[in-house]
Amino acid sequence: VICVGQDITQINAMTLEQQLVADDLARLVDSANAPIFGVDINGLVNEWNKKAVSILGFDKDEAMGRHLVHTFIQPEDRKSVADVLHKALAGKETANYELPLLSKHGERYTILLNATTRRNGRGEITGVVGVGQDITELNQVMAESKRVADDLTRLIETANAPIFGIDVQGNVTEWNAKASSLLGFSNVETIGKHLVSNFITEEFRDSVQSVLEAALSGKDTANFEFPLFTKHGKRKEILLNATARRGPDGEVTGVIGVGQDITRIREITSEQERNADDLARLIDTANAPIFGVDLQGMVTEWNRKAADMLGYTKEETIGKAFVQNFIQPEDKTSVEEVVQRAMTGCETANFTLPLVSKLGKSYTVLLNATTRRDAKGKITGVVGVGQDITELNQVMAESKRVADDLMRLIETANAPIFGIDVEGKVTEWNAKASSLLGFTKSETMGKSLVGNFITEEFKDSVKAVLRAALMGNETANFEFPLFTKGGEKKAILLNATTRRGPEGEITGVIGVGQDITQIREITSEHERIADDLSRLIETANAPIFGVDLNGMVTEWNRKAADMLGYTKEQTIGKNLVENFIQPENRDSVERVLNRAMAGEEAANYELPLLSKSQRRLTVLLNATTRRDAKGSVIGVVGVGQDITEINQLMDESKRVADDLTRLIETANAPIFGINTRGEVTEWNRSFANITQYWKEEALGKDLVENFISEQYKDSVRKVLTLALSGKETGNFEFPLFTKQLDRKIQILMSATPRRGPDGQIIGMIGVGQDITDLRAAKEAADRTADELARLIEMANAPIFGVDQHCQVTEWNQKMSKISGVPRKEVLGTRMRDVFDANAQQSIETVLRDALHGKETANFELRFESRDSMGRAAGVVVLLLSATARLDSAGAIIGVVSIGQDITEHKSLEERKMRFMAVVSHELRSPIHGICGLSDTLALSESDPARQRKLKMITNCSTRLLDLVSNIMDISSMRTKTLKLNTEPCNVTQVMEETVHMLEHATDKQGRPVKRPTVQLVNDLERANLPVIEADIHRCTQVFYNLIMNALKFTQKGEVRITGNFNSHCGEVEIHVSDTGIGISKSHLERVFEPFEQEDDSEARTFEGIGLGLSISREVVQRHGGRIRVRSEINKGSTFTVSLPVVSRQQSSERPGGDTLLQAPPAKVQATYVDRRSASSTDARGQESSQVDSTVPRQSPQAGSEPSGAKAGHGGLDESLSSVEPGRIRLLSVDDSVANQDMVSKACVGPEYDLTICMSGSDAINELQRATTPYDVILLDVRLLATQGYDVCKYMLRERQYSGEVLPVLLMATATPTEKLGLETMVGSGVTDVIRRPFEPEEFRTRLQDTVSSSRQNKSRIKALQRKTVLQALVPESIADMLASGKTVIAHDIPMLSVLCFSLAEMENLESEVTQAVQLLNVVQRAYEKHRDPQKVYQLRSSGLHFMVVAGQDGHDTFHTETLLKLALAMSADVEEAGVHLQFGLHSGRAQAGVVGTELPNYCLFGETIHFAQAMLANTPPSCLCFSDAARCQLGQLGKLACRLPAGAQVVESGPFDLPGHGSTPLWLVVRGGGTPEKLTRQTTSSLTLSALPPLPTQSRSGTVAPSQMRSAQAALPQPNGRCHLDTPAGPCRMLSVDDDEVNQEVVTGIFKPEGLDITIAMNGSECLKEVEKDGFHIVLLDSMMPGMSGLEVCKTLRKRYTQLELPIIMLTCRTAAEEAAEAINAGCNDYVRKPFSRVELVARVRAHLATRLERMSLQQQIQDLSSNVQGLTETQQLARIDDSASASPPAAAAVPRHGLVASVPAPAPATTTMMPMAAAL
């Protein structure tokens, strides 16, 4: 054996090492903190570590083997991830790829992935390993970092500290807004410039540069202080922190300097040092004992006051233990505790410290122990500041007394005093303030002073004064006006003083005022006196002089100059005594003057004087002290007088002179005076304050040259010259500049000449008013007004304004653009004339409210806009707010309305509501099916449990149907399609019925809505409310919703209904109050929005969808009323409905403001529905059985015109045809081109249609050719010979026009040659004359007046013609209604009488047609002979049957007796002619209406009519049968017998079964005794129907209440007890036409048990085919079907079948009122809305089938009768032949008949008795 070996020791070692490395690597991968995954070459996961599991939530087992891209990557990222993996599998690795992943729980992660190729040992690529890093948080951090960077940038820019930045070269890179505002250099001026070189002063550049260089080397510098100088050279102290700015890699890129302006701090620091020194002195010199101790309790402070009190000097106390040495033993512990607490930071205030002085005297000190700290806040000891409270207590007692005195002083002060707190609310209001202003203290306390008691124009100034006082800046002598409670103006001079608390804090303001109203009046009087006094002094007839305190002359009037010979210039400024008094008198005069200067005035001092000419004079002198405004003596005025003449004037002159001097000087108005040379002679203090020139600087200087600026010198000099010439100037604006030329002053000046004693002008006095601020305010106001005007005009929102008369004053561009009405056209017109009729009422109401101070927000204005041609351009909806416009006094002067165009929004909303209505309509059909099927199944179900579930389905469907109905209601209201049927409405009665209904109402679980703990109280009867005009049905809906809500949300307490009549507003107010849960304030407005509820959470307690209140508000607003709510949580709510007595909606919809329809007579509860109303309900809330709908009246057809109209030439009817409203058609006939051009220019515009004819023949041809009539003819008087006359004759003779129908306006000039022609033409039928030349405006006005009058005449003629025709077709009262425009008339007649009569015998008719007509003429003549046309009306007869009624209009209360007399009289007449009649008389309720539009037919129907017809069929010949109801109307039988003819008697025929009416007694008027055999047997007919239970009363909403429906269903006959409607040929056949299989199933389920044979048609085409193929007795027709609607089907059928031949009942889901009218006009017999009750539908079908079957039976009887008559005729002919042969007389009696002798055969057997024809309904 050869063994070849190999040493594998190393290999094994390497393998083991590799295995270890692989294990380590596997553990590393699995435990790595980074997500790691791997895929093979197919993309399937083969690595998935724990980190990947923890991030994505997928376990390793869930991930391994699954495709990475398809399983774990979102679809939008799969392509990019697949590309990365493909590249890695190709050997191209990818680094830092951001991989988006979605975890198992839906969280998004971002992984930064390195995709690395994975290879095997051979280097082959086996897959890809992805090592990732979860950078989700990193991305969030980066986003946050970016946000922080942005915030930092904004922070730097908006920081309140100056911040700058530089780069490494020292150039500025940052310069924030604070740095710009602080230093004055903008960002643009600094960026890029060297900071140190450009912005640091020379002396600080080196230090700043070193700081910046240190920061650039990485060494930050804090709190470096250096100065900066602003752009304007002002020094700023800056405390700077210089911080190195680094890049992303940490290298320094610059420096950021954040500074702080410490200029103010430095000022404060120096101030603090000064304060510290002051504090040390303050402590030592304080009047309170102050001491201090250190932490060991040793004394460190001992001030002078402490030494004085205790007797220990500072040297004796410093350094000694305070407690041990200076405190009594019994107090040492408590004092030690206070000191120790203070050393721990717990300070003590008001500690009572007992001390004993060195001499043993006891003191009680109120001590504040305060912690003493060093600059670092460390406690270094305690400082105690004390106060000797012995004296303090005395002071406090005294202070209290003073405070009480002060309160009494305030209250009893003779000046108005008030106080406010820091919020401006009144805290003080003394008696004087109350008596002055009329507001009591209780009316003012706690209210805002400015807001309630200051007028609007002074609120800002008063508020500023009070605010300043609240800041410590007191104000003195602030003048402002106040208005008393009664409106009287008071001028108040106010001192506003700050009010402080005990610690000095400001707690309010005390205002002490002074009523200066009288002072102001006196001041104006003084100003007048001042001027007079100035002139008086100068022109006084007494010598007057004045001296100052030095004896120098200051006053020297003209009289003194005249007396002494010294001029004023020679005396002023010289010593009076030394220069002008003789030496011997100087001492006495000196004493007088000195005494006067000392205040001791001298009177009647005889002063000897010597004039300049040495003439001696004796003056009786009064030496008067001269004082300034403060009362200080400034000199003496001496007034002399000739003692012989002026004794009485001296005292007054002295007083006036003194007052004048002070008044001029102290006047609050600037006053100056000049002499004739223009030099200043007067310059008062106010003028000096304004101009800054003092009096001494101004006096004697030229006013214009020295004080007026160059540009105003000429105008001022002109005014002064005028004044110096004697012409005064008032209100001249006088410009001045202050001394420093820094301010221009505007003075409103009145310049008055100043005259001397002799009347000569010696100067001018100017009294002014500083209007600088007023002028500035006016300019600002003008500027603001201009800006506001531009803003209004250019605003993007529609804005308009009106004045107090509602005339437009503002109309901006946007409003013009929206409305299409230009501004110039609308300004000055009334607002209601701008908009169409629909918008007039709402805009007038809103503007009226705003003019009364009631502003309106967010009201909708809907109107028709116009295009540039004035044509309608569509409806525009604006959302407007109307705000009152006030003048400066606060009075309302107009209204401004700012709006928003919401047309598009409204259009979207209306489309949404229409969509909801369509959806709701489509829902009604399947819901109806559910209701019907579940109802049918419930009736046939015997299992109670299943029956209960079926009833639950019915109840749920009913609730859903109510919801759909509500949605349709709100939709129709929002889209303005809902119409109201307004009629007289008794609100009290409607409310009573609504309350009664709700007292028994139940919810969906069958529980009563009204809880036992809730009391429903109706107090409306006490209100005695008037009858209003409203839609009763809709009002009931509103009341029902409000009371239902109140009951639903009230757990206990009461729901109370009250009301009142507001005569001021003409409104009835109904209040529904409850004690329920209430509504929060935030939801009060939302509750009226659709689908809004206060609690709309899923866990809400109360059900509903929130439509009731929304519908209620819409209904009330459509009536022109309002609905409001007041509520308080947990206390209840009150809803108030205000309805106008006359409906604003009704009155606004009536063109021309027509009055409402009059209520029908009391006996006839009728409702006349015209085109403006939609439905009707009687006052008791029961629906009338008339058609509650409207149809637009159709225009007369061509074929229906009266025979008198001339066809072919457009006669009168053509002239009355309608023309385009507002457009005038003119025919101008004139041979002058100039005249025609004048007319053409005057008739420019779309409202004129002008045709020109140049001759009379052309005009006649045009009139013959025209198809549309002209409105007016313009005819020239000079028209070529007689052609003008020809035109008039043609119109009058050939066309039969009159001036009322086609007016002719004669165009003439006032020349003698035309006079004769003018008179002739006027006699030829000319309407008016217009003289040329004419003004176009006058011409158009007269033209429009003529056309308007003509159109009114046409309307009256047309109405008269129509009424004449109608009166021949219908009763007069009905004709009046039709003539007034009513298109649908239907009413319920509570009581009328019907008389049916027909021919009883027809055996003697020789020729059927001729004899029938002759007999009918006999009957008709007897009827016309005896009838009362005012009381009796004959319905259209059919065959030999007649029917007349009485009492249908309520005028004849004895209508039954009227018909009885008619029957008896007719019977007597016709029997003489051999004609025998049978009569049936019945009284009862009936329904009536008008059918047809062209030739209307007045129809009556109902049970009363049927009953009368059935009676006639069972009445013997020559008898009058009347019902028990008619007997009750006639009265007692005894009295009735007295009115009967001889031999007649009344007998009771006994109970009889009449078809469809059960057993009832009848009465006969017969001749002779006994009862005819025909009425002695029970009459049985196949038409007799089983008695139905009364139909349930319908609710106001038109649907049967669920409880009523259930009771009616329970009373219905069950299937096993049904009664069939059969014909002799079999069951009745019904055709049901509906495209809904569910509805077909419902109908089948209802009528199959009734025994009807039902055929189904799914559309209109099938219906027509079925009717053609087979005969039906009745058709149920759905209104809405695809292809061919029910209305179209009905109209098609009516072309072949009458209403009696084929009854049609229309079924529909639609609830609009017009639908019923359309159905009836289309030819339907009846109209039933889905969902209907089974009872209602069965009853209506039975009624129509009964009529149909009765007609069939009568037709069959007529056929049998015809056969019998034919056989009888043949027999008679044979008998005549036999008689002729045998010559034997016939066995017959001759009866005269209209001159003829007719053979009346003997009575035939009963089997051949002729039956009467029934009248067609």
Side-chain angles (χ1 to χ4, degrees), residues 358-563:
K358 190 173 183 180
L359 302 176
K361 185 178 179 181
S362 296
Y363 288 93
T364 302
V365 176
L366 195 64
L367 183 69
N368 289 342
T370 307
T371 305
R372 196 169 194 176
R373 301 175 186 270
D374 58 12
K376 297 180 180 180
K378 184 177 179 181
I379 295 174
T380 60
V382 177
V383 173
V385 180
Q387 184 179 6
D388 184 0
I389 64 174
T390 305
E391 295 182 3
L392 179 62
N393 287 339
Q394 298 173 354
V395 171
M396 288 176 66
E398 181 64 19
S399 297
K400 184 176 182 305
R401 184 188 62 76
V402 171
D404 292 340
D405 292 344
L406 181 60
M407 291 302 294
R408 284 194 299 273
L409 175 64
I410 289 175
E411 185 61 26
T412 61
N414 198 32
I417 299 175
F418 66 86
I420 62 168
D421 55 17
V422 293
E423 297 178 353
K425 295 180 179 178
V426 177
T427 56
E428 296 285 349
W429 191 269
N430 74 339
K432 184 64 177 178
S434 298
S435 65
L436 183 65
L437 301 179
F439 295 100
T440 63
K441 191 169 185 177
S442 59
E443 290 178 307
T444 58
M445 296 299 285
K447 295 183 180 178
S448 174
L449 177 69
V450 177
N452 292 278
F453 305 104
I454 304 299
T455 55
E456 194 66 35
E457 64 267 28
F458 290 96
K459 283 185 178 179
D460 292 339
S461 58
V462 174
K463 194 178 294 180
V465 169
L466 298 179
R467 192 182 300 116
L470 287 170
M471 297 174 63
N473 299 323
E474 300 180 348
T475 302
N477 297 332
F478 170 68
E479 185 176 338
F480 70 100
L482 281 177
F483 285 86
T484 66
K485 194 172 184 179
E488 184 181 356
K489 183 176 180 181
K490 295 288 185 180
I492 302 297
L493 193 64
L494 180 70
N495 290 341
T497 307
T498 304
R499 196 171 194 173
R500 299 179 183 273
E503 298 178 1
E505 76 281 4
I506 294 174
T507 61
V509 176
I510 283 290
V512 181
Q514 182 181 358
D515 182 5
I516 60 170
T517 308
Q518 190 173 5
I519 294 176
R520 282 288 165 262
E521 296 172 355
I522 294 172
T523 301
S524 61
E525 181 66 17
H526 283 178
E527 290 175 355
R528 184 186 63 78
I529 293 173
D531 185 53
D532 295 343
L533 191 56
S534 296
R535 287 196 295 271
L536 178 63
I537 289 176
E538 189 62 24
T539 61
N541 197 30
I544 301 174
F545 66 87
V547 297
D548 56 17
L549 295 177
N550 299 317
M552 302 300 178
V553 177
T554 57
E555 292 285 349
W556 193 268
N557 76 338
R558 189 181 304 166
K559 186 65 175 178
D562 293 342
M563 285 180 63

Side-chain angles (χ1 to χ4, degrees), residues 1208-1266:
H1209 331 224
L1212 184 59
D1213 276 350
E1214 182 181 343
S1215 72
L1216 299 181
S1217 62
S1218 61
V1219 296
E1220 185 176 353
R1223 189 171 175 85
I1224 300 176
R1225 294 203 69 211
L1226 299 94
L1227 179 63
S1228 177
V1229 187
D1230 199 323
D1231 59 346
S1232 170
V1233 176
N1235 291 343
Q1236 294 284 23
D1237 184 63
M1238 187 185 304
V1239 172
S1240 300
K1241 290 180 179 179
C1243 298
V1244 174
E1247 64 270 25
Y1248 298 103
D1249 183 4
L1250 177 63
T1251 301
I1252 293 176
C1253 292
M1254 301 301 294
S1255 68
S1257 58
D1258 290 345
I1260 294 174
N1261 293 334
E1262 173 61 23
L1263 289 173
Q1264 291 175 339
R1265 186 171 54 249

Side-chain angles (χ1 to χ4, degrees), residues 571-604:
T571 58
I572 295 297
K574 295 183 179 180
N575 191 286
L576 175 68
V577 176
E578 296 295 333
N579 292 280
F580 305 105
I581 303 299
Q582 296 299 313
E584 62 273 17
N585 298 319
R586 287 176 182 172
D587 292 339
S588 61
V589 173
E590 187 76 34
R591 286 194 298 273
V592 169
L593 294 178
N594 289 336
R595 284 200 303 272
M597 291 177 184
E600 185 181 349
E601 299 179 347
N604 298 329

